[in-house]
Amino acid sequence: MKIGRNDPCPCGSGKKYKGCCMDQVSKQHAEIADDIQQSVLMNPNLDIDQLNVIAQHKMAQRNNHPNEDFCGLTPTQMANWLYAPLNELAWVKINTPDDLSSSPVMRYLALILDEALQSGGSFKATSKGNLPAKLVKQASALLDEFAVAQYQTVPSISEYSGSNEDKLNGLHYTRVLAQLSGILYVKSGRFHMKKAAQKQYQAQGISAFFLPMLEAAVAKYNWGYLDGWSEDIDLQTFWLFMLWRVQSHGSIDQLIDEMCIAFPDLLLQFPKGEYSTPSEQLGYRIEARFIKRFLEFWGFIIVNPRRVLDNKPLPRKADIQPLLVQTFEFHF
């Protein structure tokens, strides 16, 4: 399908095609045209069918050649990771771990589903439409069982503490994902667990919902929902690339640098502020939306919140948890 000048750019930057990658694509087309011209000069008797074969071959060569800016991925691999649905992703196998007890999201989901089953399939919401205080207290009591508890602050580094659902962001995030993935719905002031979900839970346990919840987190949930930044920066499109890089080296600073190199058009969406550069602003959003409210909420990594020691900035390293390695197996 041909991309129009005013269509959204397929790179996921959110900008119009004409103001983003169109020049890069035009440059690639020009380079391929030069290659074809050289072939014609060397073989002047080529017919149109032969020229088409050469053009397709040249394009395939470029699309399957490792790109240094993509940390060695080819354009073909990157396109799959940016745009394919979860069940069509290549070069990665996504598993459901046998033990999900270290995942805050899945533990919180189990609390919600248990409450629904014990109450005949539904339970009453608060007047604000939130989960009842009973569930919030149960969820808050689980904090010490998670790896992130070793870095607990007030509120905790991963926003797991609070007196109600509005302040317990990890629980609120889980409830939203459960609704997006079709496990829960709200009707007449009550949270209802779908009949099909009840049967799945009784037959398979919480593991039945790991992949549906993960798909909701990366494809349906609005990553900017829990913060107040006005810029609509799309980071979800790049979730698998970022996860691969974090799992590879564990350095948050290196991840931010790699994102700036691989997707420089993202930086154009930030104003040049007096106190922070576009790359720093991108880094803030990666840390909040991807590191904290995705990887840590799921129990995939933990990060020491301390950034300065003896007035010197500390490198930010992610402590990779077994759950991350068990879930994502990369193969090239």
Side-chain angles (χ1 to χ4, degrees):
M1 182 178 67
K2 185 177 180 180
I3 304 169
R5 288 171 53 82
N6 293 311
D7 291 339
C9 186
C11 79
S13 68
K15 302 182 67 177
K16 291 182 179 180
Y17 181 53
K18 67 181 180 182
C20 192
C21 294
M22 189 173 74
D23 288 342
Q24 297 178 23
V25 173
S26 297
K27 181 180 178 182
Q28 292 177 7
H29 288 172
E31 291 173 349
I32 292 172
D34 288 342
D35 289 343
I36 295 174
Q37 185 177 20
Q38 289 296 320
S39 299
V40 170
L41 291 175
M42 295 175 62
N43 302 278
N45 296 321
L46 292 173
D47 60 29
I48 187 65
D49 291 333
Q50 291 171 319
L51 287 173
N52 283 332
V53 169
I54 291 173
Q56 292 172 7
H57 177 68
K58 295 293 184 182
M59 183 66 75
Q61 277 186 321
R62 290 181 178 275
N63 287 339
N64 292 291
H65 183 73
N67 188 318
E68 184 178 351
D69 289 348
F70 294 161
C71 300
L73 293 184
T74 68
T76 296
Q77 290 172 319
M78 183 62 83
N80 174 266
W81 281 11
L82 295 184
Y83 307 119
L86 206 67
N87 63 350
E88 295 180 13
L89 291 171
W91 302 283
V92 61
K93 181 182 179 184
I94 303 178
N95 308 299
T96 298
D98 294 331
D99 183 4
L100 296 171
S101 61
S102 63
S103 170
V105 164
M106 300 310 294
R107 291 288 297 279
Y108 290 162
L109 179 63
L111 286 179
I112 296 172
L113 301 187
D114 287 342
E115 179 66 19
L117 287 180
Q118 291 168 10
S119 304
S122 70
F123 56 89
K124 188 176 180 180
T126 68
S127 58
K128 292 181 63 177
N130 288 340
L131 297 170
K134 169 187 173 182
L135 277 177
V136 177
K137 291 179 180 178
Q138 291 175 340
S140 295
L142 291 177
L143 175 61
D144 289 340
E145 299 182 26
F146 303 138
V148 74
Q150 65 182 284
Y151 296 136
Q152 186 177 4
T153 59
V154 183
S156 84
I157 175 180
S158 289
E159 303 170 331
Y160 293 129
S161 61
S163 58
N164 56 55
E165 186 190 334
D166 286 336
K167 295 181 180 179
L168 185 55
N169 281 344
L171 178 63
H172 180 62
Y173 170 83
T174 301
R175 191 258 286 182
V176 172
L177 293 187
Q179 290 179 252
L180 290 173
S181 56
I183 301 169
L184 290 180
Y185 66 94
V186 180
K187 183 179 180 181
S188 302
R190 298 182 68 84
F191 287 102
H192 295 261
M193 184 178 177
K194 287 191 174 180
K195 295 291 186 182
Q198 293 181 39
K199 294 180 180 179
Q200 284 181 288
Y201 191 40
Q202 291 168 335
Q204 304 173 45
I206 200 65
S207 62
F209 307 113
F210 181 76
L211 291 180
M213 289 283 283
L214 183 64
E215 183 174 16
V218 300
K220 301 176 182 178
Y221 175 74
N222 175 10
W223 279 23
Y225 172 52
L226 289 173
D227 60 53
W229 284 304
S230 59
E231 297 88 356
D232 185 19
I233 305 299
D234 174 26
L235 289 179
Q236 270 171 283
T237 299
F238 313 102
W239 74 272
L240 188 56
F241 174 76
M242 292 192 290
L243 189 147
W244 171 56
R245 298 316 301 149
V246 167
Q247 186 169 319
S248 297
H249 52 61
S251 171
I252 297 174
D253 300 300
Q254 185 174 336
L255 166 65
I256 294 169
D257 289 341
E258 289 167 344
M259 282 292 290
C260 292
I261 293 171
F263 309 104
D265 293 306
L266 286 174
L267 301 177
L268 301 178
Q269 300 179 60
F270 294 101
K272 295 182 179 179
E274 182 179 353
Y275 302 106
S276 58
T277 65
S279 60
E280 288 173 333
Q281 294 180 64
L282 177 62
Y284 299 150
R285 285 152 182 79
I286 289 174
E287 290 187 63
R289 296 178 179 179
F290 175 67
I291 299 296
K292 176 177 287 188
R293 297 187 186 131
F294 176 54
L295 296 185
E296 283 198 338
F297 275 8
W298 279 81
F300 290 143
I301 68 169
I302 57 175
V303 179
N304 189 333
R306 188 174 60 177
R307 294 190 173 187
V308 179
L309 181 63
D310 296 330
N311 295 320
K312 296 180 180 180
L314 291 172
R316 288 166 290 177
K317 293 289 290 184
D319 186 356
I320 306 299
Q321 298 299 291
L323 196 67
L324 179 64
V325 180
Q326 293 165 9
T327 302
F328 299 96
E329 294 182 48
F330 292 95
H331 50 87
F332 299 100

